[in-house]
Amino acid sequence: MTAAAPTDSTRSMPELDAVLRELSEGERRWAATSSAERAALLDRVHAAVSAEAETWVRIASRIKLLPDGSPLVGEEWLSGPYALLTSLEVLTRTLRTLASGRGPLDGAKFGRAPGGRVSVPVLPLTAYDRLLLNGFSAEAWMPPRVDADTVRRRAGLGARHPERTAGIGLVLGAGNVTSIAPLDVLYELIAHNRVVVLKLNPVLGDLEPVYRRALAPLLEHGALRIVPGGGDVGGYLAHHPDVAHVHITGSLATHDSVAFGPGEEGRARKAAGTPLLDKPMTSELGGVSPVIVVPGAWSAADLRYQAEHIATQRLHNSGHNCIAAQVVLVSGDWPQREAFLGHLRDALRTAPARRAWYPGSAERLGDATHSYPRAEWQGSEGSRLLVEPGDGDDVSELATTEYFAPVLGVLTLPGRGAEFLDRAVETANRDLFGTLGANIVVDPATLKRLGRAFDHALAALRYGTIAVNAWTAVGFLTASAPWGAFPGHTVADARSGIGVVHNALLIDAPERTVVRGPFRPFPRSVVGGELALFPKPPWFVTTRSAAVTGRRLTELAQRPSWARVPAVFASAFRA
């Protein structure tokens, strides 16, 4: 739901004025709360979230029309309370490090990335990471010409000086993934030192009591207020003189409605570069995410597994993810192209049935079929769509429209090896809308042959998170990884957004996150020469034990203990 800009006839909302007065007082209390005290406060939030996890997942599953006992409930464990609990744990550790007089990156071993970039390891960080996510890694790449000493010195952001608060921040919450709004609240509070008014998305309105109980320590401390409501509430708060900053996770259309106003007048203001909003704004807005499939010599098992992998990237949360894959880039010169696309069709057809639950999904699916009448319906009751444009078809809508529904497109490009990879990177940068995340699938032998050409292709790919043999959602779920669009967007041309969130090590101005995973699951990974003991991931939509594994990972995040690890593995290896 959009947040409307105010007009001369906008009514006063005294109840919201009172909320902002409370937060003004809360800001004074927040300024007097030391880093050590904030860490203790986050410990209390962690306990409150733990107590609400079961109810949280039950209500989220009901909102998303998931039946009891469905393996897909695992999505709600991992992208709900688990994501928030792990972020709280890392942020608390960061605050305690700062309270001790050290920086969050002191002692970190930095690497080097192409273009003279400094790379900061963000996964694995702990012994639990190294065991539970064996074979996965992530690093934050800094912009060129930023040296290691600068990176280390600036880490900590607003938490370096907790007494220097920055007013009231408005968080306009997302309506698709249930951890996003609380995670955005934490980042405003800790990284930017702003107290927060959270305006919930009505789609997740039934979770309001859960959020209030889970975040009760912040509410009681005066650092947070939660308000329900529609676009009129969001617009009133966004343009209120007592609000210093606005952060939104949602669509570009909603962002522009807040910044420039709705309708033709808003579009005219955007064209003129004259926003109505008179304060800074950050955002995470999605886009059209690619999967670049680098041709190689794959086994039948590889073809099936990577087809399931890509189907997951589209079908997770029924396609209602800002980071859902939308366009698969494949080589027309790959001898296995047809076999791979056959497995992709099978994966889309046989993935567990579920309804497209987010408002407007049916209309967006209809738009896709209108633009591409030869598109293929897959799954039961025409629940998902595969679009493979033919010669002469206009691909611009597929490349520029974020469908936010189970629509997956395939574009074929010529070339093999580095030639194909470079052409795919150029196509993604030039033709696909947005810069939030890109995925690359490449087998180990081909990766080795590509060598430095692959690293340079990564550097050329202008996306905020790039995942190699993984889904970019792994970056979303990694608390210490920065999450956001590629830098350089403005309010007048926001694309996939401005700024980053999550980033629990509080790295200043990162350029991107690069995630790497195993091409094959265990045990085929080891047979193929990869040192990875990770089975089929619990976030795959075809993982039979996903709900149990998601619950057990959340229980481990609630109360970390090595005694809980065997149960996680027992479930994960029944995938």
Side-chain angles (χ1 to χ4, degrees):
M1 183 173 292
T2 60
T7 65
D8 291 340
S9 61
T10 299
R11 64 182 178 86
S12 174
M13 296 187 176
E15 67 280 12
L16 297 180
D17 296 340
V19 165
L20 296 177
R21 285 194 297 271
E22 292 173 3
L23 281 171
S24 293
E25 178 59 35
E27 183 186 4
R28 288 188 283 274
R29 187 174 182 184
W30 193 239
T33 306
S34 68
S35 291
E37 291 168 330
R38 292 181 183 189
L41 188 63
L42 293 193
D43 279 339
R44 292 172 52 205
V45 176
H46 190 282
V49 172
S50 297
E52 289 300 315
E54 185 88 34
T55 304
W56 179 332
V57 170
R58 185 176 67 252
I59 294 174
S61 299
R62 187 179 71 225
I63 292 170
K64 300 183 182 185
L65 308 177
L66 293 174
D68 293 342
S70 169
L72 296 172
V73 171
E75 296 179 3
E76 298 314 308
W77 283 106
L78 291 179
S79 64
Y82 173 83
L84 185 56
L85 288 166
T86 53
S87 184
L88 284 162
E89 193 274 329
V90 182
L91 277 172
T92 301
R93 189 164 65 241
T94 294
L95 287 173
R96 291 203 165 106
T97 298
L98 289 165
S100 73
R102 296 176 294 120
L105 298 181
D106 289 359
K109 294 181 179 180
F110 295 165
R112 304 295 295 178
R117 293 170 170 87
V118 170
S119 64
V120 181
V122 296
L123 181 76
L125 290 182
T126 69
Y128 286 114
D129 293 341
R130 284 186 283 274
L131 184 60
L132 293 170
L133 288 168
N134 192 268
F136 285 85
S137 64
E139 54 191 17
W141 287 13
M142 303 305 295
R145 297 178 295 281
V146 177
D147 62 73
D149 287 343
T150 300
V151 176
R152 215 180 298 275
R153 185 177 66 253
R154 291 181 178 173
L157 301 176
R160 280 193 170 273
H161 298 282
E163 74 283 358
R164 301 178 188 172
T165 52
I168 299 171
L170 167 64
V171 169
L172 296 172
N176 60 328
V177 173
T178 61
S179 65
I180 289 177
L183 287 169
D184 291 348
V185 165
L186 288 180
Y187 202 66
E188 284 288 293
L189 285 167
I190 305 302
H192 297 303
N193 232 356
R194 287 188 280 264
V195 295
V196 179
V197 54
L198 166 62
K199 205 288 286 184
L200 293 177
N201 190 301
V203 176
L204 299 182
D206 287 352
L207 279 170
E208 181 181 347
V210 171
Y211 289 146
R212 289 189 178 278
R213 293 191 296 268
L215 303 175
L218 299 174
L219 291 163
E220 293 161 3
H221 198 73
L224 171 67
R225 289 293 180 265
I226 299 173
V227 298
D232 56 338
V233 172
Y236 185 83
L237 289 168
H239 295 270
H240 197 287
D242 291 346
V243 170
H245 180 274
V246 176
H247 178 80
I248 178 174
T249 300
S251 69
L252 178 61
T254 302
H255 169 278
D256 287 350
S257 180
V258 174
F260 297 98
E264 289 298 331
E265 290 185 4
R267 286 188 281 274
R269 291 190 193 96
K270 181 177 180 178
T274 54
L276 278 176
L277 199 67
D278 60 353
K279 62 199 66 175
M281 187 176 188
T282 53
S283 51
E284 193 264 78
L285 306 174
V288 176
S289 294
V291 184
I292 298 172
V293 180
V294 182
W298 295 9
S299 69
D302 294 336
L303 293 167
R304 284 193 300 272
Y305 178 78
Q306 292 301 342
E308 286 185 40
H309 191 183
I310 293 171
T312 287
Q313 295 175 30
R314 177 70 267 182
L315 300 181
H316 184 280
N317 203 26
S318 200
H320 310 314
N321 286 331
C322 56
I323 200 57
Q326 183 166 307
V327 173
V328 183
L329 300 175
V330 297
S331 169
D333 297 318
W334 184 24
Q336 293 180 294
R337 175 186 176 278
E338 290 306 317
F340 169 72
L341 292 182
H343 283 290
L344 184 59
R345 287 182 174 88
D346 287 344
L348 292 171
R349 176 178 53 81
T350 61
R354 69 181 301 177
R355 293 166 62 184
W357 60 272
Y358 201 82
S361 295
E363 291 80 3
R364 290 188 290 274
L365 281 164
D367 290 343
T369 56
H370 177 76
S371 299
Y372 301 101
R374 289 182 291 178
E376 305 170 20
W377 286 106
Q378 304 290 340
S380 61
E381 301 175 1
S383 57
R384 51 201 67 148
L385 197 64
L386 181 66
V387 178
E388 187 179 357
D391 292 341
D393 286 347
D394 183 0
V395 302
S396 60
E397 181 175 319
L398 181 65
T400 60
T401 302
E402 182 188 8
Y403 284 112
F404 214 68
V407 177
L408 182 65
V410 176
L411 297 181
T412 300
L413 305 174
R416 300 280 296 272
E419 178 192 5
F420 168 79
L421 181 57
D422 289 344
R423 184 173 281 113
V425 168
E426 179 185 11
T427 299
N429 286 340
R430 182 192 63 221
D431 298 340
L432 303 187
F433 184 84
T435 64
L436 185 61
N439 310 275
I440 304 177
V441 177
V442 56
D443 67 88
T446 302
L447 183 59
K448 184 177 181 179
R449 282 197 301 271
L450 287 168
R452 295 182 64 185
F454 186 82
D455 295 333
H456 290 300
L458 283 186
L461 199 51
R462 295 194 299 271
Y463 285 81
T465 297
I466 302 170
V468 180
N469 293 333
W471 181 23
T472 44
V474 176
F476 175 93
L477 284 176
T478 299
S480 48
W483 179 257
F486 196 78
H489 303 316
T490 64
V491 170
D493 184 19
R495 301 256 169 167
S496 289
I498 302 166
V500 300
V501 290
H502 304 185
N503 189 28
L505 296 176
L506 304 182
I507 301 167
D508 183 41
E511 182 185 65
R512 72 184 87 190
T513 295
V514 177
V515 178
R516 301 175 194 265
F519 178 72
R520 302 176 178 96
F522 181 82
R524 291 197 305 112
S525 56
V526 175
V527 175
E530 297 177 278
L531 297 177
L533 304 179
F534 200 82
K536 185 177 181 177
W539 52 84
F540 269 39
V541 295
T542 50
T543 296
R544 291 171 295 180
S545 59
V548 176
T549 303
R551 176 192 288 273
R552 290 180 178 174
L553 282 168
T554 304
E555 290 170 349
L556 181 64
Q558 290 169 330
R559 295 177 298 281
S561 167
W562 289 109
R564 295 180 180 274
V565 171
V568 175
F569 274 99
S571 175
F573 279 89
R574 290 197 298 269

